[in-house]
Amino acid sequence: MTDQKLIGVDLGGTTTKFAITTTDGEIQQRWSIDTNVLDDGAHIVPDIIDSINEHLALYQMQPADFAGIGMGSPGSVDIQAGTVTGAYNLNWKTSQNVKADIEAGTHMPLTIDNDANVAALGERWRGAGENEPDVVFVTLGTGVGGGVIADGHLLHGVGGSAGEIGHVCVDPHGYLCTCGNHGCLETVASATGVVRVAREMAEEYSGNSSIKKTLDDGDEISSKIVFDAAKNGDPLAIKVVDRVSYFLGLALANVANTMNPRYVVIGGGVSAAGEFLRSQVEKYFKQYAFNNVRNTTEIRLATLGNGAGVLGAARLALK
Amino acid sequence: MTDQKLIGVDLGGTTTKFAITTTDGEIQQRWSIDTNVLDDGAHIVPDIIDSINEHLALYQMQPADFAGIGMGSPGSVDIQAGTVTGAYNLNWKTSQNVKADIEAGTHMPLTIDNDANVAALGERWRGAGENEPDVVFVTLGTGVGGGVIADGHLLHGVGGSAGEIGHVCVDPHGYLCTCGNHGCLETVASATGVVRVAREMAEEYSGNSSIKKTLDDGDEISSKIVFDAAKNGDPLAIKVVDRVSYFLGLALANVANTMNPRYVVIGGGVSAAGEFLRSQVEKYFKQYAFNNVRNTTEIRLATLGNGAGVLGAARLALK
């Protein structure tokens, strides 16, 4: 069995990525296809089946050569039933029998989970997590997602909401979140959250600032513009990054006070700000973490970028 | 092997409790001895060995009748080495080879963990946790402790500090905690924390209140006095319980947003306030929990009281 391979599938709204890996996570083949979301996403699963079967033929491999297929999907995933609901960026308006259909079409067993959990598994397995048994992953993108691996197990919780770090409350009197609560981490640490913090702080700021000038001119800013301005010494941008880092440090310290993971790994588009962001989050993390947590849990940047999903998906197939 | 029994030992500063249970956690025998902390606690381990051996003789049982011994201890427990350090209420000033000594003296394997984790295991196994795979336990006593069972595993984290829910920060500008941080849950929700909140709120309160009168008279109050006064309609005490419940609800919601456990179980002396406290904590929990967590995670009161430790200890012996 040790020479069996794994197939990872990372289903996204524009691209679907595939990889064939060893059971150690070495990538042997990788490819991708456009995700065709037309016709209520009816082509998505057939396209995945065809692409897998075509590549197996190309590489002269058989289903028996594989331990199975793992897959990450947007939306709400029922990991037992293998179904996906509410994946609006795929135009999937009704529940999809992803597992049953792909298993029938490829003759291999499929394990499916949501994309944030799969990215967490990938970073833990082959990225910054160094395959440690206790790793927390937080992804700062359009929203803030997360995944928790504890004692070697990817956590789901009773309702599948384990790892919803984006909805940890960091400010009970804070901004209204899309979830209906106030002051969720996502409202201040997602890409849009960073811009929201910058807009609010700009209103009260009277000094010179490139981002204030941009906003006053009626132009749009992005989280990247804020971080770049801060790196270039813009005094308002520096304050914005400090506030975002405070909220991230507080939230991650509280997660770590509960889990005491070896690593808290920060990924997603906002984390492109790199060490500049990490070091400031770490400052507040150390302020709010319990003594022994401060000394044993480390804040790291993700290392796999967009490749975390397909690797984590492959890892799902390894029981 | 199914007819093997378990021995649980709950080591405390005044009493050491013992139980012989089935592998299902049915208690067949229970007894206790005074904990003799004289001579730097040198009698503790020998007394435990003697008591186990005497009771086995009394019940005409042999070491081979048992899967092993589980034990909960105060202090900092190295679960791999089986040693205990810093258990000041036992007068143990140096590291103690508890596992090696008890195994040599009883000819049974010993598994040891800290008392908060063991109580969590007990409540999860045979108490309010109903043996669910995902249960968080928080104990409100002199301090605030906790234990986390996730996907069926008792979590320790990389440094043994998983479950330090008492040091989740609920108020970054709050009271100084014994741990050196500010605004830890323990500073407001332990027995002394409740009194601290009552004292501070009494200073700003000008209405009629039995607890304000007691404090103004220079007399001591306790968390029980505060809860009893609130139940009797004392307006200041009602405000104090509301504030304590807010902090507990916020902290437990954030823990649940990360873990999504089936149950969050509240135990310890302060939880003697019962449904009166639970319902108010639940109100704030529901306010700060993520939608799906609010619908799937339930706040419960512990049901085993002081008996959780010895049962959780027995559970430790069941691999």
Side-chain angles (χ1 to χ4, degrees):
Chain A
M1 298 291 280
T2 49
D3 58 349
Q4 276 194 316
K5 301 296 185 286
L6 311 171
I7 297 177
V9 182
D10 179 19
L11 172 56
T14 51
T15 303
T16 303
K17 300 190 191 73
F18 300 79
I20 294 175
T21 80
T22 66
T23 53
D24 292 328
E26 296 289 342
I27 293 178
Q28 300 201 313
Q29 305 290 345
R30 62 192 308 167
W31 71 95
S32 63
I33 62 175
D34 291 341
T35 304
N36 179 356
V37 299
L38 297 177
D39 305 318
D40 291 345
H43 305 286
I44 293 173
V45 166
D47 286 354
I48 289 171
I49 294 169
D50 288 348
S51 188
I52 289 173
N53 289 336
E54 283 163 16
H55 280 77
L56 261 56
L58 181 67
Y59 305 134
Q60 298 182 309
M61 299 180 84
Q62 314 295 329
D65 295 329
F66 295 90
I69 306 170
M71 182 168 165
S73 172
S76 180
V77 176
D78 183 326
I79 61 169
Q80 262 80 42
T83 57
V84 177
T85 55
Y88 301 108
N89 60 339
L90 303 177
N91 286 332
W92 280 353
K93 289 159 187 164
T94 58
S95 178
Q96 306 285 316
N97 286 315
V98 176
K99 176 181 165 73
D101 290 350
I102 295 182
E103 288 185 342
T106 64
H107 308 290
M108 289 179 278
L110 181 111
T111 310
I112 187 167
D113 211 320
N114 76 58
D115 44 13
N117 279 344
V118 161
L121 267 188
E123 275 293 341
R124 180 253 181 166
W125 192 32
R126 296 287 300 183
E130 293 186 349
N131 214 25
E132 284 282 324
D134 299 284
V135 174
V136 169
F137 177 70
V138 59
T139 173
L140 313 176
T142 314
V144 172
V148 176
I149 293 102
D151 211 8
H153 293 233
L154 176 66
L155 299 189
H156 294 93
V158 64
S161 289
E164 284 289 0
I165 296 169
H167 299 281
V168 166
C169 178
V170 290
D171 184 4
H173 307 291
Y175 302 117
L176 181 65
C177 184
T178 52
C179 78
N181 287 349
H182 283 266
C184 296
L185 180 63
E186 180 165 298
T187 66
V188 291
S190 62
T192 49
V194 172
V195 171
R196 185 186 287 122
V197 171
R199 282 186 184 279
E200 183 180 271
M201 294 183 81
E203 283 177 19
E204 298 161 3
Y205 187 77
S206 58
N208 277 324
S209 158
S210 64
I211 60 168
K212 180 171 172 64
K213 182 169 186 312
T214 304
L215 288 168
D216 288 348
D217 289 347
D219 292 329
E220 294 294 316
I221 60 169
S222 65
S223 65
K224 181 174 189 312
I225 287 173
V226 173
F227 281 104
D228 286 346
K231 287 178 185 175
N232 287 327
D234 183 281
L236 173 59
I238 287 171
K239 285 176 191 284
V240 172
V241 171
D242 181 69
R243 187 171 293 185
V244 169
S245 299
Y246 158 78
F247 286 124
L248 272 166
L250 174 64
L252 297 180
N254 280 343
V255 170
N257 287 335
T258 307
M259 312 287 307
N260 192 196
R262 179 67 189 90
Y263 300 116
V264 176
V265 179
I266 304 177
V270 174
S271 75
E275 176 62 20
F276 182 74
L277 173 64
R278 194 207 65 82
S279 61
Q280 295 183 67
V281 172
E282 182 180 68
K283 180 183 81 172
Y284 288 108
F285 176 85
K286 286 182 179 290
Q287 182 174 332
Y288 294 110
F290 184 57
N291 261 326
N292 187 45
V293 171
R294 186 185 308 140
N295 295 333
T296 54
T297 297
E298 191 179 318
I299 305 275
R300 287 193 158 191
L301 293 168
T303 61
L304 298 177
N306 288 333
V310 75
L311 271 166
R315 180 63 183 77
L316 265 188
L318 180 66
K319 292 299 167 185
Chain B
M1 300 291 283
T2 50
D3 58 349
Q4 276 195 315
K5 301 295 186 286
L6 311 171
I7 297 177
V9 182
D10 180 17
L11 172 57
T14 52
T15 304
T16 303
K17 301 189 189 74
F18 299 79
I20 294 175
T21 81
T22 66
T23 52
D24 292 328
E26 297 288 344
I27 293 178
Q28 300 202 313
Q29 306 289 345
R30 62 191 309 167
W31 71 96
S32 64
I33 61 174
D34 291 340
T35 305
N36 179 356
V37 299
L38 297 177
D39 304 320
D40 290 346
H43 305 285
I44 294 172
V45 165
D47 286 355
I48 289 171
I49 293 169
D50 288 348
S51 187
I52 289 173
N53 289 335
E54 284 164 14
H55 281 77
L56 261 56
L58 181 67
Y59 306 132
Q60 298 183 308
M61 299 180 84
Q62 314 295 328
D65 296 329
F66 295 90
I69 306 171
M71 181 168 166
S73 172
S76 179
V77 176
D78 183 326
I79 61 169
Q80 262 80 42
T83 56
V84 177
T85 54
Y88 301 107
N89 60 340
L90 303 177
N91 286 332
W92 279 352
K93 290 160 187 163
T94 58
S95 177
Q96 306 286 315
N97 286 315
V98 176
K99 177 181 164 73
D101 290 351
I102 295 182
E103 288 186 340
T106 64
H107 307 290
M108 289 180 279
L110 181 111
T111 309
I112 187 167
D113 211 321
N114 76 59
D115 44 14
N117 279 344
V118 161
L121 267 188
E123 276 293 340
R124 180 252 180 165
W125 193 32
R126 297 286 301 182
E130 294 186 348
N131 214 24
E132 283 282 326
D134 299 285
V135 174
V136 169
F137 177 70
V138 59
T139 174
L140 313 177
T142 314
V144 172
V148 175
I149 293 102
D151 211 7
H153 292 233
L154 176 65
L155 300 189
H156 294 93
V158 64
S161 288
E164 284 288 2
I165 296 170
H167 298 282
V168 165
C169 178
V170 290
D171 184 4
H173 306 291
Y175 303 118
L176 181 65
C177 184
T178 52
C179 79
N181 287 349
H182 283 267
C184 296
L185 180 62
E186 180 166 299
T187 66
V188 291
S190 62
T192 48
V194 172
V195 171
R196 184 186 288 124
V197 172
R199 282 186 184 279
E200 183 180 271
M201 293 183 81
E203 282 176 20
E204 299 163 1
Y205 187 76
S206 55
N208 277 324
S209 160
S210 64
I211 59 168
K212 181 172 172 61
K213 182 170 184 312
T214 304
L215 288 168
D216 288 348
D217 289 347
D219 292 330
E220 293 295 316
I221 61 170
S222 65
S223 66
K224 182 175 188 310
I225 288 174
V226 172
F227 281 105
D228 287 346
K231 287 177 184 174
N232 288 327
D234 184 279
L236 172 59
I238 287 171
K239 285 176 190 286
V240 172
V241 172
D242 181 68
R243 188 172 293 185
V244 169
S245 299
Y246 158 78
F247 286 125
L248 271 166
L250 174 64
L252 297 180
N254 279 344
V255 170
N257 287 336
T258 308
M259 312 286 308
N260 191 198
R262 178 69 188 89
Y263 300 117
V264 176
V265 179
I266 304 177
V270 174
S271 76
E275 176 60 21
F276 182 74
L277 172 65
R278 192 206 66 82
S279 61
Q280 295 183 69
V281 172
E282 183 180 67
K283 180 182 82 171
Y284 288 108
F285 176 85
K286 285 181 180 292
Q287 183 174 332
Y288 294 110
F290 184 59
N291 261 325
N292 187 45
V293 171
R294 186 185 307 139
N295 295 333
T296 54
T297 297
E298 192 181 317
I299 304 276
R300 289 192 156 191
L301 293 168
T303 60
L304 299 177
N306 287 334
V310 75
L311 271 166
R315 180 64 183 77
L316 265 188
L318 181 67
K319 291 300 165 181

Short mmCIF file of all heavy atoms in Angstrom, two decimals, chain B residues 13 56 237 251 301 305:
data_model
loop_
_atom_site.label_atom_id
_atom_site.label_comp_id
_atom_site.label_asym_id
_atom_site.label_seq_id
_atom_site.Cartn_x
_atom_site.Cartn_y
_atom_site.Cartn_z
N GLY B 13 -5.61 18.53 47.95
CA GLY B 13 -4.81 19.05 49.05
C GLY B 13 -5.25 18.59 50.42
O GLY B 13 -4.44 18.58 51.35
N LEU B 56 -7.33 -3.69 47.46
CA LEU B 56 -7.32 -4.85 46.57
C LEU B 56 -7.36 -6.14 47.38
O LEU B 56 -8.09 -7.09 47.03
CB LEU B 56 -6.09 -4.83 45.65
CG LEU B 56 -6.36 -4.30 44.24
CD1 LEU B 56 -6.96 -2.91 44.26
CD2 LEU B 56 -5.09 -4.33 43.41
N ALA B 237 -26.56 43.28 43.23
CA ALA B 237 -26.12 41.90 42.99
C ALA B 237 -26.57 41.42 41.60
O ALA B 237 -25.83 40.71 40.91
CB ALA B 237 -26.66 40.97 44.07
N ALA B 251 -16.51 34.83 26.58
CA ALA B 251 -15.35 33.92 26.53
C ALA B 251 -15.75 32.55 25.98
O ALA B 251 -15.07 31.98 25.12
CB ALA B 251 -14.73 33.77 27.92
N LEU B 301 -24.82 22.80 32.90
CA LEU B 301 -24.19 22.72 34.22
C LEU B 301 -23.60 21.34 34.42
O LEU B 301 -24.17 20.33 33.97
CB LEU B 301 -25.22 22.98 35.32
CG LEU B 301 -25.79 24.40 35.37
CD1 LEU B 301 -27.01 24.43 36.29
CD2 LEU B 301 -24.74 25.40 35.83
N GLY B 305 -20.30 17.15 40.23
CA GLY B 305 -19.71 17.84 41.39
C GLY B 305 -18.30 17.35 41.66
O GLY B 305 -17.50 17.17 40.73
#
